[in-house]
Structures are given as structure tokens and as C-alpha cells.
């Protein structure tokens, strides 16, 4: 039987869990990765762009990588270097990619690919949503050309970067609002599920003993693991792997449709994704499928199998 391949585009702010998502995606034969775009987020764009290129080279992923936005639409950039290291890869230095350096801006490349895929392209975004918002502003017909958008971002309850907001949404709440309002089918993998989607230290160590890819995964996530452990989480939350595996292995996850709006005016609540999952009041439209749970053991086993395969 011929395996169905899904044309996808990845928009990332490579950091260590984005790197894990790229490695996992590169091993999933169901994915036809058409392009990758980098955005400022975990660290500055110069690092996220270089990191994305270098992780692709490590993974043997020969896919064009495009530069996107170096700052949010309206707010100053705030990074997460305290989690990902100043360089974004936990201090691990990778060999520099010798791939052609693409000069087309991310939003132009993304639009051209969406047109080429005639409604079949799925967009996975694991960083602040600035590139998507710019693309939608320049090409208003782009949301209608996308089969689905799957993001790592938001939370139906507590935040992480602030008590109310998850990092990707908090960095650029105005861009996030544009995505939640764009009308394309949307899957939100927020902290509800990604804080469950962790690998435990012994699981990481087992992957680390398996070869070059595994060693990079283990070494690059050391700092972030220590950050999680210091904050009471026993493992490394692979936030950004969730939308990737939701696309190929949806049966590992549970969730429900909801109305979701982004707070862009608040001070204490800026960047909060407000959902109607738990309220009597229901928003007029269910604009997102909010992923709430994952089979952690199966999630961890699948990642181990993918990252340790020869
Ligand atoms: O809140 C977690 C998200 O913020 C992840 O995408 C991580 O890479 C950071 O970007
Ligand atoms: Ca990310």
C-alpha cells in the first residue's frame, strides 16, 4: 500500500524543543516537508535561522530554510535564553550547514508553496506567530489555501512566561490574534497537553546513547531539563513535538473544539488565550481544536523509536 504523504511547512524559533520537532519530523515518512521558516522567539533570528539550518543538516533534511521576522509585530522581542541558552541550542555547537542560503522572505516562500499545494499544505508553527501574521497580511487569500494550521502555543489555564500567557503567544499576541481569527482549521497544542508531553531523564539518556542524533538531543536539552526540574516538572517537556505528532499520530491525543480569543489589551493578562472550554458562556464560533491530553508513554516511546532508528 502506498503511504499517504502530507505536504507540510514548519515555522520554528529553533530552540531546543523546536530542534527536537525538526529531528522527529525528519524521521516521519508520512511528512513531505516542503519548506521551513525561522522566526525570532526563543533567541534572536540570527540564531534561530542558523540553528534551523544546522539542525536540518544534522538530520540530513534537505529542505529550504527561510528567514522570517526578527521581531514581533508591535512589541519588543523577549527571548527565552534562560531556558534554551544564549545560542538557542543549550550551548551545543553544531557543524555549520553548507546548504544554499535562501534570500526569499519566509512569508513569500510560504505563500508560493501554499499556492503550489492547492489547498493541501498543512502549516506547523512552534514559535511566535509573527511570520504567519505577516504572510496573512500580505496575502489575504493564504488562510483559504491552507488545509490546516497546527500550533504549539497558548493554554486554557495557566501560562508559563507569565501567570496568564504561554511564551509563543506572549511574545507576539497581535500576531497570534490574527492566526486565531484567520478562519483556517486550527489545532492548538497548548500547555494543557505539552506540559504532559515530557521525556523522563532515563528516557533521554537511552536516546543519548544511540548515536549522533540522540547525543545532540540529549546534550542540547540538558539546560532546559534542569529548568523544568527546578520548576517541579520531572522531565523535558517537548512542547514543539506535539503539533508534529498530532498530525501523524492523532490517536495519541485527546481534545475538543472551542472558541479561543487572544488578549491583546491586558497588562497582567496580555497574551492569554481565553477559551470557552470551562465557562457557561460560549463564544459564537468554535475556531480551534484544543488538544488537552496525550498518552505520555506512547508519545515517549514513539520519539525514542524515531530518534534512535539508524
Ligand atoms: O512555551 C513553550 C514554547 O516556547 C515552545 O515553543 C518553546 O520552544 C518556546 O518557543
Ligand atoms: Ca518553539
Amino acid at each position: 500500500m502506498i503511504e499517504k504523504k502530507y505536504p507540510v511547512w514548519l515555522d520554528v524559533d529553533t530552540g531546543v524543543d523546536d530542534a527536537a520537532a525538526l529531528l522527529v519530523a525528519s524521521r516521519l515518512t508520512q511528512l513531505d516537508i516542503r519548506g521551513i521558516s525561522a522566526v525570532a522567539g526563543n533567541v534572536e533570528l540570527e540564531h534561530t535561522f542558523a540553528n534551523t539550518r544546522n539542525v536540518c543538516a544534522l538530520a540530513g533534511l534537505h529542505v529550504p530554510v527561510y528567514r522570517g521576522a526578527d521581531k514581533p509585530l508591535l512589541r519588543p522581542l523577549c527571548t527565552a535564553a534562560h531556558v534554551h541558552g544564549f545560542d538557542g541550542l543549550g550551548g551545543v555547537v553544531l557543524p555549520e550547514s553548507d546548504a544554499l542560503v535562501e534570500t526569499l522572505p519566509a512569508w513569500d516562500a510560504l505563500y508560493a508553496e501554499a499556492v503550489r499545494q492547492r489547498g493541501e499544505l498543512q502549516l506547523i508553527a512552534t514559535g511566535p506567530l509573527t511570520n504567519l501574521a505577516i504572510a496573512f497580511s500580505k496575502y489575504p487569500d493564504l488562510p483559504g489555501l491552507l488545509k490546516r494550521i497546527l500550533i504549539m502555543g497558548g493554554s486554557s489555564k495557566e501560562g508559563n512566561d507569565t501567570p496568564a500567557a504561554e511564551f509563543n503567544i506572549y511574545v507576539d499576541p497581535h500576531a497570534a490574534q490574527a492566526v486565531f481569527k484567520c478562519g483556517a482549521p486550527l489545532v492548538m497544542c497548548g500547555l494543557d497537553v505539552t506540559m504532559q508531553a515530557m521525556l523522563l531523564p532515563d528516557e533521554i539518556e537511552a536516546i543519548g546513547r544511540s548515536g549522533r542524533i540522540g547525543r545532540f538531543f540529549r546534550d542540547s536539552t540538558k539546560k532546559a531539563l534542569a529548568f523544568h526540574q527546578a520548576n517541579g516538572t520531572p522531565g523535558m517537556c517537548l512542547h514543539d513535538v506535539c503539533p508534529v505528532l498530532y498530525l501523524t499520530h492523532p490517536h495519541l491525543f485527546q481534545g475538543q473544539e472551542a472558541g479561543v480569543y487572544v488578549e491583546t489589551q491586558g497588562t497582567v493578562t496580555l497574551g492569554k488565550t481565553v477559551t470557552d472550554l470551562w465557562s457557561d458562556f460560549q463564544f459564537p464560533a468554535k475556531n480551534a481544536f484544543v488538544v488537552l491530553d496525550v498518552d505520555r508513554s506512547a508519545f515517549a516511546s514513539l520519539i525514542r523509536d524515531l530518534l534512535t532508528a539508524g
Side-chain angles (χ1 to χ4, degrees):
M1 187 179 81
I2 297 174
E3 180 180 58
K4 177 169 174 52
K5 278 200 173 288
Y6 301 102
V8 298
W9 185 284
L10 304 175
D11 187 77
V12 293
D13 63 329
T14 308
V16 299
D17 58 329
D18 304 75
L22 288 168
L23 294 177
V24 165
S26 73
R27 292 293 192 270
L28 288 163
T29 54
Q30 307 92 320
L31 299 183
D32 173 15
I33 304 172
R34 304 299 304 161
I36 302 172
S37 45
V39 67
N42 283 321
V43 286
E44 295 76 4
L45 178 66
E46 63 178 294
H47 291 305
T48 62
F49 180 60
N51 291 345
T52 303
R53 285 170 43 86
N54 296 343
V55 170
C56 286
L58 173 71
L61 188 54
H62 303 296
V63 171
V65 177
Y66 299 90
R67 274 189 187 85
D70 61 3
K71 60 184 177 355
L73 295 182
L74 302 178
R75 287 174 52 76
L77 175 64
C78 70
T79 67
H82 61 293
V83 178
H84 298 262
F86 80 92
D87 61 351
L89 292 182
V92 174
V93 179
L94 285 176
E96 194 161 322
S97 167
D98 61 5
L100 172 76
V101 178
E102 302 291 344
T103 54
L104 196 61
W107 32 88
D108 294 339
L110 167 58
Y111 180 67
E113 189 59 36
V115 169
R116 204 171 295 131
Q117 296 300 328
R118 290 202 293 260
E120 287 305 308
L121 189 66
Q122 297 192 59
L123 175 48
I124 298 173
T126 64
L129 297 168
T130 317
N131 289 345
L132 279 67
I134 292 171
F136 294 168
S137 171
K138 187 170 182 181
Y139 303 104
D141 60 328
L142 177 54
L145 287 171
L146 296 172
K147 186 179 183 71
R148 187 166 54 163
I149 301 170
L150 304 97
I151 73 166
M152 189 281 135
S155 170
S156 78
K157 297 191 180 88
E158 300 78 20
N160 57 3
D161 212 36
T162 77
E166 177 278 326
F167 176 80
N168 288 335
I169 309 300
Y170 181 68
V171 168
D172 198 340
H174 305 93
Q177 183 182 54
V179 173
F180 278 89
K181 288 189 167 182
C182 78
L186 177 63
V187 174
M188 172 181 138
C189 295
L191 297 176
D192 308 88
V193 64
T194 70
M195 288 305 288
Q196 301 174 49
M198 71 179 80
L199 261 61
L200 299 172
D202 59 328
E203 294 167 335
I204 296 170
E205 196 47 49
I207 293 171
R209 289 194 295 270
S210 66
R212 223 161 36 99
I213 298 278
R215 261 197 311 280
F216 166 76
F217 170 72
R218 176 194 60 198
D219 296 347
S220 63
T221 55
K222 268 197 172 65
K223 181 181 178 68
L225 172 61
F227 173 84
H228 283 307
Q229 290 172 322
N231 287 281
T233 301
M236 170 67 202
C237 297
L238 292 180
H239 304 280
D240 294 341
V241 178
C242 287
V244 175
L245 290 186
Y246 182 85
L247 193 157
T248 56
H249 297 77
H251 58 280
L252 298 183
F253 300 87
Q254 306 282 328
Q256 65 186 82
E257 298 289 342
V260 185
Y261 285 75
V262 180
E263 176 58 66
T264 58
Q265 309 298 320
T267 47
V268 176
T269 57
L270 180 68
K272 180 170 181 55
T273 46
V274 180
T275 83
D276 60 8
L277 284 170
W278 321 116
S279 56
D280 299 339
F281 171 81
Q282 295 292 293
F283 286 124
K286 301 299 179 197
N287 59 322
F289 181 84
V290 179
V291 184
L292 296 166
D293 289 297
V294 62
D295 177 339
R296 191 214 71 83
S297 171
F299 176 86
S301 300
L302 178 55
I303 291 169
R304 178 205 58 219
D305 294 347
L306 288 167
L307 294 188
T308 58

